[in-house]
């Protein structure tokens, strides 16, 4: 039986990756790159698209490498232990705005963003794969997965809630604020990732394929559960990606900037914080809900329906700051569905990994889980790129002048606001509907 300390240790891994680095990258980066760093909308969209093409190759390769790793720390843990410091350092550098012109900024952003994706892959693919070798008990897998999601959402809640207050405490220009906050959060992420690697255990030995081969890659595309689950994973991250990427624009432009209610500053990070705490609570309740539903796929379906209904409902809320608490309430209700399905996704990847081992005779756990990480990054970044692209089409433009100053121009405010509102509500609703269909077709009914 795994100890409580180990479950908390495992949760720290996604608290760092999902609750700090990826949360800031998902919600802050589109607005940061266009309004603070000074990239054009086209550069921002292209940057995220290029990074995704890179991840299509790097994530599966990292999974295959991790599966064949042998060390005194195990198969997957050494990547977490020794990747902790690079993860925090590169994240901090990515939130720093250098005093460069347009070309220099473009080179800096592309280099650091691609490096961040590389380091994130080297840590997070083995971290996800670790679930497959810590226990062979299905209930314990659900528990570990639930702890993971609670850790990610709890830390995400702290990160997003603290962000505007940290900005005010740091002071200075927005670029200075992001740089200082990035350094502090990068250090915290490194410490938590290292603790995860040191506190967890690998109890099961993977059935290794000793020599590198392309057969495991070919086997994936004959693995029907993997195909469906990868598509489900991409949809779930598209759903979250649209909402997080556009939240900053929603508060800034649709609602006229941050809102202060009874001393509480509601900016775009705090707005999404209400969802984080809801996801944390319902992520913890997910194993119990799954037992009540009778299967993971059935529980996932109910959660998807919740996301569809509440996302559509948000679209009909008036675009007025006076309705901020109604908006918050709808974010909370949507997050009930997200909180319920998020732990299930990673537990289902463990099921697919077990299925692949039984079918093919060798373990491809790292490769299987790498597709989950790839889906996460693909969904979040492509949605961020689409947000930037669609806002550009609607009339939003940004860039850097010859002095390095950021310039934002909106040629059609009404069209931009309508696009922002739809990107936060109708676009995610359509993705959740597709996710529901895929879950119905998913063949493993555990």
């Amino acid at each position: 039986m795994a100890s409580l300390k180990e479950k908390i240790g495992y949760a720290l891994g996604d608290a760092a990756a999902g609750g700090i680095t990826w949360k800031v990258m998902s919600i802050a980066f589109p607005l940061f790159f266009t309004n603070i760093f000074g990239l054009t909308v086209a550069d921002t969209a292209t940057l995220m698209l290029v990074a995704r093409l890179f991840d299509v190759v790097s994530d599966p390769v990292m999974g295959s490498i991790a599966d064949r790793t042998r060390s005194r720390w195990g198969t997957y843990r050494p990547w977490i232990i020794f990747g902790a410091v690079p993860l925090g350092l590169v994240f901090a550098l990515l939130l720093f705005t250098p005093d460069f012109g347009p070309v220099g900024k473009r080179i800096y952003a592309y280099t650091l963003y691609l490096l961040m994706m590389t380091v994130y892959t080297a840590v997070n693919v083995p971290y996800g794969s670790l679930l497959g070798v810590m226990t062979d008990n299905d209930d314990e897998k659900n528990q570990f997965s639930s702890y993971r999601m609670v850790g990610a959402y709890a830390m995400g809640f702290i990160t997003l809630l603290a962000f505007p207050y940290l900005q005010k405490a740091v002071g200075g220009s927005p670029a200075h604020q992001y740089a200082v906050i990035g350094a502090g959060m990068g250090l915290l992420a490194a410490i938590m990732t290292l603790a995860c690697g040191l506190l967890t255990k690998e109890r099961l030995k993977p059935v290794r394929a000793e020599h590198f081969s392309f057969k495991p890659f070919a086997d994936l595309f004959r693995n029907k559960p993997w195909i469906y689950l990868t598509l489900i994973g991409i949809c779930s991250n598209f759903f979250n990606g649209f909402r997080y990427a556009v939240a900053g624009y929603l508060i800034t432009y649709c609602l006229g900037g941050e809102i202060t209610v009874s001393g509480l500053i509601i900016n775009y990070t705090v707005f999404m914080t209400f969802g984080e705490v809801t996801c944390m609570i319902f992520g913890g309740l997910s194993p119990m809900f799954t037992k009540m539903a009778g299967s993971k796929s059935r529980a996932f379906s109910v959660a998807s329906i919740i996301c569809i209904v509440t996302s559509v409902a948000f679209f009909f809320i008036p675009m007025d700051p006076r309705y901020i608490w109604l908006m918050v309430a709808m974010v909370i209700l949507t997050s009930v569905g997200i909180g319920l399905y998020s732990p299930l996704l990673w537990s289902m990847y463990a099921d697919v990994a077990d299925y692949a081992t039984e079918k093919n005779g060798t373990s491809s756990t790292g490769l299987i889980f790498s597709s989950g990480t790839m889906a996460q990054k693909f969904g979040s970044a492509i949605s961020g790129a689409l947000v930037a692209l669609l806002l550009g089409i609607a009339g939003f433009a940004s860039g850097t002048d010859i002095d390095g100053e950021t310039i934002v121009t909106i040629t059609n405010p009404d069209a931009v606001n309508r696009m922002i509102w739809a990107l936060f509500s109708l676009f995610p609703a359509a993705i959740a509907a597709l996710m529901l269909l895929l879950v119905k077709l998913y063949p493993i009914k555990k």
Side-chain angles (χ1 to χ4, degrees), residues 234-236 238-239 242 426-436:
I234 290 172
C235 285
S236 71
F238 262 123
F239 180 85
F242 275 118
L426 296 184
F427 279 72
I431 295 297
L434 177 58
M435 184 166 65
L436 175 62

Side-chain angles (χ1 to χ4, degrees), residues 52-112:
R52 294 298 61 77
L53 293 174
F54 176 74
D55 286 334
V56 168
V57 177
S58 66
D59 281 37
V61 169
M62 183 64 231
S64 185
I65 293 171
D67 281 335
R68 288 161 177 78
T69 300
R70 297 190 182 201
S71 77
R72 58 181 290 193
W73 298 278
T75 299
Y76 304 113
R77 289 174 59 240
W79 294 97
I80 301 169
I81 293 169
F82 295 103
V85 171
L87 179 72
L89 178 61
V90 177
F91 174 76
L93 291 173
L94 195 49
L95 282 171
F96 174 73
T97 302
D99 189 18
F100 297 157
V103 175
K105 282 187 174 180
R106 190 180 301 125
I107 294 171
Y108 183 92
Y110 272 70
T111 302
L112 266 295

Side-chain angles (χ1 to χ4, degrees), residues 353-366:
D354 291 343
Y355 171 87
T357 300
E358 182 180 341
K359 181 179 179 182
N360 302 319
T362 57
S363 174
S364 55
T365 301

Side-chain angles (χ1 to χ4, degrees), residues 344-361:
L344 289 173
L345 189 64
W346 294 105
S347 181
M348 290 159 76
Y349 272 113
D351 296 336
V352 171
D354 291 343
Y355 171 87
T357 300
E358 182 180 341
K359 181 179 179 182
N360 302 319

Side-chain angles (χ1 to χ4, degrees), residues 198-405:
L198 296 175
L199 291 174
T200 51
K201 298 178 182 177
E202 297 188 21
R203 295 177 177 81
L204 308 177
K205 298 291 184 183
V207 182
R208 302 176 189 273
E210 297 297 337
H211 303 289
F212 180 83
S213 164
F214 286 102
K215 183 178 182 298
F217 294 90
D219 288 339
L220 281 181
F221 292 94
R222 291 191 288 268
N223 185 331
K224 188 176 178 181
W226 174 82
I227 293 171
Y228 279 110
L229 190 58
T230 297
L231 293 173
I232 291 167
I234 290 172
C235 285
S236 71
N237 287 289
F238 262 123
F239 180 85
N240 289 329
F242 275 118
R243 298 170 70 252
Y244 279 103
V246 82
Y249 297 99
L250 185 147
I251 294 293
T252 302
Y253 298 106
C254 296
L255 302 182
E258 66 180 37
I259 304 162
T260 302
V261 183
S262 301
L264 174 66
I265 300 172
I266 304 180
N267 74 339
Y268 68 99
T269 63
V270 175
F271 183 64
M272 299 305 288
T273 294
F274 293 98
E276 293 297 304
V277 71
T278 306
C279 287
M280 178 183 68
I281 293 169
F282 283 87
L285 295 174
S286 182
M288 182 177 68
F289 177 73
T290 302
K291 286 185 177 180
M292 291 172 56
S295 71
K296 295 174 188 178
S297 57
R298 193 172 300 144
F300 209 116
S301 295
V302 174
S304 300
I305 292 170
I306 293 172
C307 291
I308 296 168
V309 172
T310 55
S311 296
V312 172
F314 188 97
F315 179 76
F316 294 99
I317 299 175
M319 199 183 299
D320 190 313
R322 292 177 297 173
Y323 293 89
I324 186 65
W325 289 118
L326 181 56
M327 298 174 204
V328 167
M330 207 53 61
V331 166
I332 290 171
L333 290 174
T334 302
S335 298
V336 170
I338 299 170
L340 290 174
Y341 76 60
S342 293
L344 289 173
L345 189 64
W346 294 105
S347 181
M348 290 159 76
Y349 272 113
D351 296 336
V352 171
D354 291 343
Y355 171 87
T357 300
E358 182 180 341
K359 181 179 179 182
N360 302 319
T362 57
S363 174
S364 55
T365 301
L367 188 58
I368 296 289
F369 275 91
S370 74
S371 61
T373 306
M374 183 180 69
Q376 178 190 40
K377 291 191 288 186
F378 185 87
S380 297
I382 294 297
S383 56
L386 286 173
V387 164
L389 181 64
L390 291 170
L391 288 180
I393 293 172
F396 184 97
S398 64
T400 302
D401 64 17
I402 57 174
D403 297 321
E405 296 295 320

